[in-house]
């Protein structure tokens, strides 16, 4: 099962390698929590001099949307693994952002596809929103 869910991680890694100018390089991995409960961890390496927003930020949250979901169901929503810093009242990450989504396996195999949306900023200006 872990191999099938990790197809998501492989697809995300391949897509990230083509996005050479992206402000964040994304990867994903799957962790078994217990039994049929799994956690998909999305890790983004943020380019030097930039920050990006928490999934819980009100201004410009980093979001993960699942465009295809077979053989499993989402358990709760996307959440920050690490605690963001506060910058001018906004929840931000520097250097690295780690988000997670818990899923429950419903059968013997599962298939997932996800889309990540984020916006990165310097101390003085923000880039256009990005998507992978």
């Amino acid at each position: 099962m872990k191999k099938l869910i990790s197809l998501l991680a492989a697809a995300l890694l391949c897509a990230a390698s083509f996005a050479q100018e992206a402000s964040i390089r994304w990867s994903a991995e799957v962790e078994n929590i217990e039994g049929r409960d799994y956690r998909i961890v999305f890790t983004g390496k943020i380019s030097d001099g930039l920050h990006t927003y928490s999934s819980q930020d009100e201004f410009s949250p980093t979001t993960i949307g699942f465009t295809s979901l077979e053989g499993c169901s989402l358990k709760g929503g996307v959440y920050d693994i690490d605690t963001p810093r506060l910058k001018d009242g906004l929840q931000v990450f520097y250097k690295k952002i780690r988000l997670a989504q818990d899923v429950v396996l419903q059968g013997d195999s599962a298939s997932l596809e996800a889309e990540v949306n984020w916006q990165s900023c310097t101390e003085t200006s923000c880039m256009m929103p990005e998507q992978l």
Side-chain angles (χ1 to χ4, degrees):
M1 170 54 221
K2 188 173 182 178
K3 288 182 182 178
L4 292 173
I5 286 185
S6 63
L7 289 175
L8 168 68
L12 189 59
L13 284 171
C14 289
S17 67
F18 290 110
Q20 296 175 7
E21 295 182 33
S23 62
I24 300 178
R25 292 189 55 115
W26 290 96
S27 62
E29 63 182 84
V30 177
E31 301 173 349
N32 181 245
I33 299 170
E34 183 179 346
R36 294 188 166 278
D37 293 338
Y38 287 83
R39 175 180 299 123
I40 304 169
V41 177
F42 298 86
T43 302
K45 182 184 179 315
I46 303 168
S47 296
D48 290 339
L50 298 176
H51 62 269
T52 197
Y53 298 92
S54 158
S55 66
Q56 306 305 307
D57 189 74
E58 292 180 26
F59 172 69
S60 183
T62 299
T63 62
I64 299 173
F66 291 87
T67 57
S68 174
L69 191 67
E70 297 177 21
C72 61
S73 60
L74 301 180
K75 184 177 181 181
V78 173
Y79 57 92
D80 299 331
I81 294 176
D82 302 314
T83 303
R85 294 167 136 183
L86 284 178
K87 179 185 179 337
D88 300 326
L90 303 173
Q91 299 178 54
V92 302
F93 289 99
Y94 294 88
K95 298 190 186 283
K96 180 173 73 171
I97 180 172
R98 291 188 319 142
L99 306 175
Q101 171 67 60
D102 294 341
V103 297
V104 178
L105 183 63
Q106 295 173 329
D108 292 334
S109 64
S111 172
L112 303 155
E113 289 181 15
E115 182 177 280
V116 183
N117 293 279
W118 72 96
Q119 184 173 31
S120 296
C121 301
T122 66
E123 295 302 314
T124 58
S125 64
C126 292
M127 304 167 79
M128 293 295 293
E130 297 176 74
Q131 176 181 355
L132 174 67

